[in-house]
Amino acid sequence: MTAPKEMKEEFPILKRNVHGKQLIYLDSSATTQKPQQVLDALRHFYTTSNANVHRVVHTLGEEATALYEQTRKKVADFVRASTEEIVFTRGTTDSINMLACMLESSVQPDDEVMISAMEHHSNLIPWQQLCKRRNAKLVVVGMNQEYEIDPADLKAKLSEKTKIVSFVHVSHVLGVINPVRELIKIIRNKNKEARIVVDGAQAVAHLAVDVKSIDCDFYVFSAHKMYGPTGVGVLYGKKALLDKLEPASFGGGMITSVSFEKSTWLDSPHKFEPGTPNIADVIAFGTAIDFMQRDDVKKAQEQEKDLIKLAHAELSKLSSVTILGPKDCSKRSGLIAFTVKDLHPHDVATGLDQYGVAVRAGHHCAMPLHKKLGIDASTRMSFAVYNTKEDVKTTLEALKKTIAALKK
Ligand code: PLP
């Protein structure tokens, strides 16, 4: 078993130097780095089994199809769903856009679609545009003092007009873990018909997710934030709902029959995956899930909590730093965003880059949230299984030097 400190060895890119310094990668909320076995899986597929899936009887085609469908099974097991409930997409954004298209006909003029104040633009704009097309209203639920989606405000704003509620599991700026089960109970108690979407993009690489116990209707996430390749995402949907939905796009590979007059669809998930899918990347995503299920990786995931506590404690000691999100680290997952008085986050991130530390700065695709917090931008450090306490300590030293240099 690999000790957490040695986990870095499995990620070739982490051997890189940046500005003559050993790279410390603290931008995993944007995208995680990929372990050697995921890189190998991509190469292996293209060098041994590359063929199109589903419509083939030759050996390579059958191998490719089996590997592609094996990943679906791995994803289904990973989030406790069944294979018919797992649709492959291009990413979280694509999954949400598909849903906004497929649920559109359930929204009538004056109906309401509800989101929260902390949503990523990807879980805001598709719903905003749906409301615009249907003359419906986008309703925004606020946050409580702990920066969670406010259950009281949710309750107050729900009505029979609410057709869709879509909110984030873990905020990519506040780092807060929303009490999804409790929020969904509130929604179901007030409105049984509303469809509930959970954006799990920042949750799946850090928390054990069980879509059945959460009781959402749809749950969406991206492979590239879970040690897998870019260009692959997942749309989980309850089978009974997917059975009723019309696909958002059409083409080959999704049909049972086609004539010039009409076409009929395969069952879910294939009716939602027209055309040639992202075969190699889906298969390598399966390898990423194998990686995440190793005991030592799960242990390293647990230890991310200590990194958050350490970073939070050290950042709190800096008088010019304001941390965004909950003070209670047990309510956090994966990341810490902060501002430094009188310094632009881009300057802070550029300063840290000189020390080989990669962090993200800007509005992080959450302009309305930053506005609500009274700021334009922030700096975010985010963690993954390859990060160590030394990474945090080195970064904090680099941050102190950066602040001192910029404030001169
Ligand atoms: N939702 C959240 C909470 C995110 O953090 C992100 C990306 O950072 C997205 C959605 C969009 O994910 P993707 O760019 O993989 O589609």
Side-chain angles (χ1 to χ4, degrees):
M1 205 199 280
T2 317
K5 226 174 164 181
E6 289 156 24
M7 192 74 70
K8 274 187 196 288
E9 296 295 317
E10 297 190 42
F11 291 78
I13 202 169
L14 298 178
K15 297 191 175 78
R16 250 202 81 152
N17 277 9
V18 171
H19 300 298
K21 304 273 185 337
Q22 179 69 48
L23 169 66
I24 296 179
Y25 187 75
L26 294 181
D27 195 17
S28 297
S29 292
T31 196
T32 54
Q33 297 301 348
K34 322 302 171 199
Q36 186 66 53
Q37 69 191 86
V38 169
L39 306 176
D40 289 346
L42 270 176
R43 192 181 171 86
H44 186 71
F45 173 72
Y46 279 123
T47 46
T48 61
S49 304
N50 179 47
N52 212 330
V53 289
H54 294 144
R55 296 171 290 272
V56 262
V57 288
H58 60 70
T59 301
L60 294 190
E62 282 179 353
E63 280 174 18
T65 304
L67 289 166
Y68 182 84
E69 291 303 325
Q70 265 169 33
T71 297
R72 200 187 307 277
K73 174 82 174 86
K74 289 178 190 177
V75 175
D77 291 347
F78 191 73
V79 295
R80 308 265 186 272
S82 63
T83 48
E84 309 99 295
E85 297 176 312
I86 300 297
V87 178
F88 288 121
T89 67
R90 287 182 293 141
T92 306
T93 306
D94 190 39
S95 301
I96 297 172
N97 276 285
M98 271 172 73
L99 280 172
C101 178
M102 297 192 297
L103 296 174
E104 179 165 340
S105 61
S106 67
V107 179
Q108 305 305 324
D110 291 331
D111 279 345
E112 295 179 352
V113 175
M114 196 174 273
I115 58 167
S116 86
M118 66 177 79
E119 300 308 321
H120 189 284
H121 294 167
S122 291
N123 196 27
L124 187 166
I125 308 170
W127 306 117
Q128 182 185 60
Q129 296 305 303
L130 161 59
C131 289
K132 203 170 145 195
R133 292 195 296 275
R134 304 298 281 184
N135 265 326
K137 191 172 161 201
L138 188 71
V139 175
V140 181
V141 180
M143 298 174 283
N144 63 17
Q145 289 200 323
E146 276 298 290
Y147 297 92
E148 296 160 331
I149 295 172
D150 185 2
D153 197 37
L154 174 69
K155 210 169 181 175
K157 286 178 175 160
L158 278 162
S159 73
E160 74 284 353
K161 286 185 177 180
T162 316
K163 289 294 167 341
I164 301 165
V165 186
S166 188
F167 61 88
V168 73
H169 193 164
V170 172
S171 162
H172 68 297
V173 176
L174 304 166
V176 67
I177 306 169
N178 279 307
V180 280
R181 272 189 209 90
E182 182 194 333
L183 296 171
I184 290 174
K185 271 192 199 135
I186 293 172
I187 301 166
R188 299 252 185 251
N189 279 339
K190 265 209 108 168
N191 181 335
K192 292 206 168 13
E193 301 304 315
R195 300 280 74 107
I196 303 171
V197 182
V198 177
D199 173 354
Q202 295 299 343
V204 269
H206 306 283
L207 310 174
V209 170
D210 178 338
V211 288
K212 296 288 163 184
S213 97
I214 290 174
D215 191 30
C216 52
D217 293 319
F218 304 99
Y219 194 95
V220 295
F221 51 100
S222 301
H224 73 95
K225 295 183 196 288
M226 344 169 32
Y227 312 100
T230 51
V232 178
V234 174
L235 162 53
Y236 154 81
K238 281 186 176 164
K239 183 177 178 320
L241 295 174
L242 289 180
D243 283 347
K244 281 191 227 143
L245 285 178
E246 277 292 293
S249 53
F250 306 90
M254 61 176 290
I255 55 91
T256 46
S257 77
V258 178
S259 69
F260 286 117
E261 289 72 37
K262 91 178 229 224
S263 305
T264 52
W265 320 136
L266 288 167
D267 290 336
S268 177
H270 302 293
K271 72 171 174 178
F272 299 111
E273 295 177 9
T276 300
N278 192 352
I279 305 165
D281 291 313
V282 165
I283 290 168
F285 178 31
T287 307
I289 291 183
D290 295 340
F291 168 78
M292 288 184 70
Q293 285 186 321
R294 270 173 28 193
D295 287 344
D296 55 338
V297 175
K298 285 188 183 162
K299 193 171 161 205
Q301 216 176 61
E302 272 303 298
Q303 289 172 348
E304 289 172 13
K305 292 178 189 159
D306 298 333
L307 304 185
I308 291 176
K309 272 190 213 146
L310 178 64
H312 199 279
E314 292 300 316
L315 283 168
S316 304
K317 289 181 194 160
L318 305 181
S319 58
S320 57
V321 167
T322 304
I323 299 173
L324 311 184
K327 287 196 176 61
D328 177 356
C329 286
S330 71
K331 295 197 176 227
R332 280 183 174 272
S333 175
L335 62 102
I336 300 185
F338 59 93
T339 55
V340 183
K341 193 167 185 288
D342 299 330
L343 296 187
H344 195 281
H346 281 155
D347 294 333
V348 175
T350 308
L352 286 173
D353 188 55
Q354 301 305 307
Y355 294 93
V357 179
V359 297
R360 183 147 290 238
H363 54 64
H364 313 296
C365 299
M367 277 181 152
L369 172 64
H370 277 83
K371 194 169 175 205
K372 212 170 174 59
L373 297 171
I375 51 178
D376 293 328
S378 56
T379 306
R380 179 182 73 187
M381 44 174 94
S382 53
F383 306 100
V385 293
Y386 36 71
N387 291 122
T388 59
K389 285 190 175 168
E390 285 69 38
D391 288 349
V392 175
K393 286 178 193 157
T394 309
T395 300
L396 262 295
E397 284 314 307
L399 180 64
K400 284 178 208 162
K401 288 182 201 156
T402 300
I403 294 174
L406 289 171
K407 290 216 168 178
K408 252 188 205 159

